[in-house]
Amino acid sequence: MAWVFCVSAGTAVGAGSEPTPANPAAERPALPPEVSSAPARMPLIRYQLSNGLRVVLDVDPAEHGVVTCMTYPLGSRHEPEGKEGAAWLLQRLLSSGTPGSLRALQLGRLEASGGSSQATVSPDYTQYLTVAPSSLLPLALELEADRLRLPPVPIASFAELRRVAAVAHEQEHAPGLDGLGEQRLRQLVFQGYWPYAHAVAGTAAGLSSLAFSTLVHLHQTRMRPDAAALVIAGNFSEHDARRWVDESLGRSVSKGSAEDVAVPALPRQTSERFNARVDPRAKTPVVFYAWPGPGAHTSSHEALRLLVELINQPNGSRLQAELARGGHALEASAWMLPHDGPGALALRLRIDPRSSVDKARAVLERELERLRSAGPSLAELESSKVALASAFEQELGRAVSRAPLLARHELGRGDARLALTEPSRYAAVTRAQVQRAAAQYLIETRRTSVEMYPPGWPQDLPPTIVRKQHVVKAGENLIQIAKRYHSSVEAIAVANRIRSNRFIFPGQELIIPIKAKDAQRSKGRTYRVKPGDSLSVIAKRHGVATRALAEANGRRRDQRIVIGETLTVPAAPSKLQAAPGQKTQLRQHRVTRGDTVIGLAKRYGVSVQSLAAANGRGPKSAIFAGEVLIIPTPAPEKKGP
């Protein structure tokens, strides 16, 4: 069934006011033909309580129950830096109740009647969605009123909550292959941009270290009546709903002042960002691409969203047809990262094992160049609009999906009615707009690539080569990395399918091809950081130089380490075995700038071979300033006859 939504406009929203449309028919949004023939629905009712809470009533007699959606401007982007996961942990605290508590009893009664309550956290919002029989609307509103009050939580109870949340995080958010690729893609697209770079649910380790005071601060500044919006959609009485809303939520007051957190501009990207990694779960290479773009509700975002629909059409996508015709990809799919701030268009290609990443990328580049220069054809554009109109029809046609959309528009754009005009805005996008958006955003210097390979890929590396992974740190370049691993710039470039003069950046993961004998020489142990540890403490404990430990983990000697982090401990310099009856006297030398193995061997009167062997390396291996070397005992001089 199709729907048309009559939207009232032009009336100020104030405490207790109710907009009344002067001419509902004239203000009906122009929707695509596919959804324009349905009977009109009742207009939305918007008003505001004296405590500042925005209320939107969407009366729909066709629904069998009622849906409430309480929405707060609290997402992962509002978390203080280093406190990731706080918004997610707060919603877990407020979504359930301790056994015997009022909230637990309310939730039990709701579920016994066939209702449900759930919460979602995004980068920009936290939304509590309750579905219930119409008779239980007062109970649903009492649940929301209870969430506006954050009671004190005993230290032991909060510690248990953090523990349970960390376990749940591991179970619910352990990423599969695609999830890991998408997670890494987001980190690189928004690298150095805290609002959207970190995961919404944080990490298990981060959750375990959160303080209750952080949750209190977020609740007081973001979960306030004057910062929230409530949408009630479904089959209910407007008169009764107003009374119940006022009785349940009108008594809540906001203390202090709301915290306004603006979305900063995304740092300018000047070159492609790239990451390659090996994952044993991969059966064939999977490549993720993303291009940062404008936030939601902009004309460029709408044009890029239509491009996503175009790519995803199994029968109307030229990209999918070209990839399938050449046997280059098993699957191609696209999606948007819709944020209030900067977003992105993302694309995933699952490479056919008979082809290669390079060949699939070449097809992608040809298709993008066509869109950048000429835009889609009229037939492609219309097909995308029809697909998008169908998606909007499904989202707006059901109260359970319509209510969250209305709430986000009420908070983010100031008017829930704008959600109902989205189909008409997308229907008005032109070929020229799509072409301009593609030419502005879908370019190489704005692209981020994440390539996931199965073990042993690419196949063209010799079998005598093993592969390690290295995370690029600030200030590193390919020459330094190649020298550290006894590899070469050219070999690293080939293994990662990049140019040898390509820019690399902190956080990028590189595949390092190493000869088997060098890999064995550089093999080390792993160590999990414990409270009180530092690089120098760990180095001393394992008999290695602090600088060697730092370099093995790609960091500075004075850089902080995190409890629970896993470090690679390089092999300690080997000690020479003394001959039977001979006392071994080993000395140490801290390498300074200008030292060489040959020079040190001459200085201490030992052979180059014995000095190198004592330190577990070859005679021609490089040494580095700050490194501590073992100096073996010189061979006894031969006495004359």
Side-chain angles (χ1 to χ4, degrees):
M1 179 179 180
W3 295 86
V4 166
F5 298 90
C6 289
V7 184
S8 59
T11 304
V13 178
S17 64
E18 177 181 346
T20 304
N23 186 357
E27 296 179 6
R28 184 178 302 161
L31 301 183
E34 293 76 20
V35 295
S36 61
S37 59
R41 291 182 62 250
M42 296 176 62
L44 298 180
I45 300 165
R46 299 171 58 241
Y47 66 100
Q48 196 167 18
L49 299 183
S50 58
N51 60 9
L53 176 67
R54 297 169 178 243
V55 182
V56 178
L57 303 181
D58 180 16
V59 182
D60 184 359
E63 291 282 346
H64 296 294
V66 66
V67 175
T68 65
C69 182
M70 191 74 155
T71 301
Y72 299 95
L74 169 58
S76 55
R77 75 174 176 90
H78 301 103
E79 297 163 346
E81 289 203 36
K83 306 295 183 183
E84 61 267 30
W88 184 78
L89 184 60
L90 179 59
Q91 70 86 10
R92 286 187 66 90
L93 175 63
L94 296 175
S95 295
S96 59
T98 56
S101 67
L102 175 61
R103 190 180 307 151
L105 295 174
Q106 291 170 328
L107 289 170
R109 182 184 169 194
L110 178 68
E111 293 172 358
S113 301
S116 63
S117 183
Q118 62 184 36
T120 58
V121 180
S122 71
D124 298 302
Y125 301 102
T126 295
Q127 294 190 296
Y128 295 91
L129 187 74
T130 300
V131 180
S134 299
S135 60
L136 291 187
L137 177 56
L139 175 63
L141 295 175
E142 280 299 325
L143 275 171
E144 301 310 331
D146 190 41
R147 291 187 179 108
L148 282 169
R149 301 182 290 269
L150 183 63
V153 177
I155 295 177
S157 298
F158 184 65
E160 177 64 11
L161 171 69
R162 289 187 310 185
R163 187 193 67 78
V164 172
V167 172
H169 182 281
E170 293 291 346
Q171 296 174 346
E172 299 170 11
H173 297 87
L177 182 66
D178 286 346
L180 186 63
E182 293 174 20
Q183 184 182 93
R184 188 65 181 131
L185 192 71
R186 173 184 287 274
Q187 292 170 344
L188 290 182
V189 170
F190 299 107
Q191 180 181 332
Y193 186 78
W194 172 258
Y196 297 138
H198 64 289
V200 170
T203 63
L207 291 171
S208 301
S209 64
L210 283 174
F212 185 64
S213 58
T214 301
L215 274 60
V216 171
H217 173 75
L218 288 176
H219 188 274
Q220 291 178 345
T221 57
R222 312 301 301 177
M223 294 186 66
R224 310 158 47 92
D226 58 354
L230 169 68
V231 172
I232 305 176
N235 191 355
F236 60 92
S237 161
E238 175 195 343
H239 178 270
D240 290 341
R242 282 177 174 268
R243 176 167 57 87
W244 290 330
V245 167
D246 188 62
E247 291 176 356
S248 300
L249 297 162
R251 297 189 299 268
S252 300
V253 296
S254 300
K255 299 179 180 179
S257 58
E259 186 180 70
D260 185 20
V261 180
V263 183
L266 186 68
R268 184 168 175 263
Q269 181 178 337
T270 57
S271 62
E272 181 183 7
R273 295 173 180 173
F274 173 80
N275 175 254
R277 62 188 304 150
V278 175
D279 193 299
R281 295 170 293 184
K283 305 304 180 186
T284 184
V286 182
V287 187
F288 299 83
Y289 299 103
W291 296 263
H297 317 307
T298 62
S299 59
S300 294
H301 174 89
E302 291 161 2
L304 293 175
R305 173 82 183 276
L306 282 169
L307 276 181
V308 166
E309 293 297 330
L310 175 61
I311 293 171
N312 286 336
Q313 292 187 58
N315 299 322
S317 169
R318 277 188 46 163
L319 173 62
Q320 295 213 38
E322 291 294 324
L323 289 169
R325 184 179 301 114
H328 301 307
L330 302 173
E331 176 194 359
S333 58
W335 65 97
M336 294 293 293
L337 300 178
H339 302 146
D340 281 359
L345 185 153
L347 175 68
R348 177 179 59 240
L349 298 181
R350 204 173 302 279
I351 307 302
D352 192 306
R354 297 166 297 180
S355 186
S356 69
V357 172
D358 290 342
K359 292 177 180 178
R361 185 190 294 118
V363 175
L364 173 63
E365 272 302 313
R366 286 198 301 269
E367 177 62 12
L368 292 181
E369 180 55 35
R370 178 182 74 90
L371 294 170
R372 288 192 292 259
S373 59
S377 67
L378 279 175
E380 289 175 318
L381 185 61
E382 289 307 312
S383 178
S384 298
K385 289 181 179 180
V386 169
L388 200 53
S390 177
F392 276 124
E393 180 183 349
Q394 294 181 16
E395 185 173 28
L396 294 172
R398 300 173 61 240
V400 70
S401 55
R402 187 169 66 246
L405 183 66
L406 293 172
R408 291 194 298 271
H409 277 72
E410 183 67 30
L411 275 188
R413 305 183 68 196
D415 193 337
R417 297 168 296 185
L418 292 174
L420 309 182
T421 66
E422 286 209 334
S424 60
R425 292 202 310 276
Y426 281 95
V429 174
T430 65
R431 288 180 60 199
Q433 287 177 294
V434 177
Q435 181 269 325
R436 284 196 298 269
Q440 180 178 357
Y441 296 104
L442 304 186
I443 55 179
E444 182 178 359
T445 54
R446 297 178 66 91
R447 183 172 64 197
T448 293
S449 307
V450 174
E451 299 176 1
M452 312 278 287
Y453 292 99
W457 195 282
Q459 307 290 355
D460 54 354
L461 289 183
T464 56
I465 297 295
V466 297
R467 297 166 180 80
K468 294 177 69 71
Q469 284 189 294
H470 174 81
V471 179
V472 178
K473 304 300 179 184
E476 288 186 329
N477 57 47
L478 286 178
I479 297 175
Q480 294 170 326
I481 296 171
K483 188 175 182 180
R484 176 181 305 163
Y485 289 99
H486 307 286
S487 185
S488 69
V489 171
E490 292 73 19
I492 295 175
V494 169
N496 292 277
R497 300 183 180 274
I498 60 176
R499 297 184 298 272
S500 58
N501 62 347
R502 185 174 187 172
F503 172 76
I504 59 175
F505 53 90
Q508 181 176 348
E509 295 181 19
L510 296 176
I511 299 171
I512 310 296
I514 310 174
K515 293 180 181 179
K517 61 178 182 179
D518 290 329
Q520 188 68 27
R521 185 189 313 143
S522 61
K523 185 184 298 183
R525 295 157 288 172
T526 58
Y527 176 81
R528 187 176 294 276
V529 177
K530 301 174 183 176
D533 279 345
S534 66
L535 285 178
S536 59
V537 169
I538 298 171
K540 185 175 181 180
R541 183 180 301 154
H542 290 85
V544 299
T546 303
R547 185 180 185 88
L549 177 63
E551 288 181 348
N553 292 276
R555 60 186 66 202
R556 303 185 308 274
R557 293 176 59 185
D558 59 347
Q559 193 167 342
R560 292 179 59 187
I561 54 178
V562 181
I563 297 173
E565 181 181 5
T566 299
L567 298 179
T568 297
V569 181
S574 60
K575 298 182 179 181
L576 294 179
Q577 296 293 328
Q582 179 184 359
K583 188 176 181 179
T584 304
Q585 295 179 350
L586 299 181
R587 295 163 289 174
Q588 290 185 334
H589 173 86
R590 185 175 295 278
V591 178
T592 59
R593 185 168 298 181
D595 282 347
T596 63
V597 174
I598 295 175
L600 293 176
K602 289 181 178 180
R603 181 188 306 178
Y604 290 100
V606 298
S607 68
V608 172
Q609 289 75 15
S610 62
L611 177 59
N615 291 277
R617 62 186 69 197
K620 296 183 180 180
S621 298
I623 57 177
F624 304 94
E627 185 178 0
V628 177
L629 297 180
I630 299 296
I631 308 298
T633 303
E637 296 182 4
K638 291 184 179 181
K639 296 183 179 180

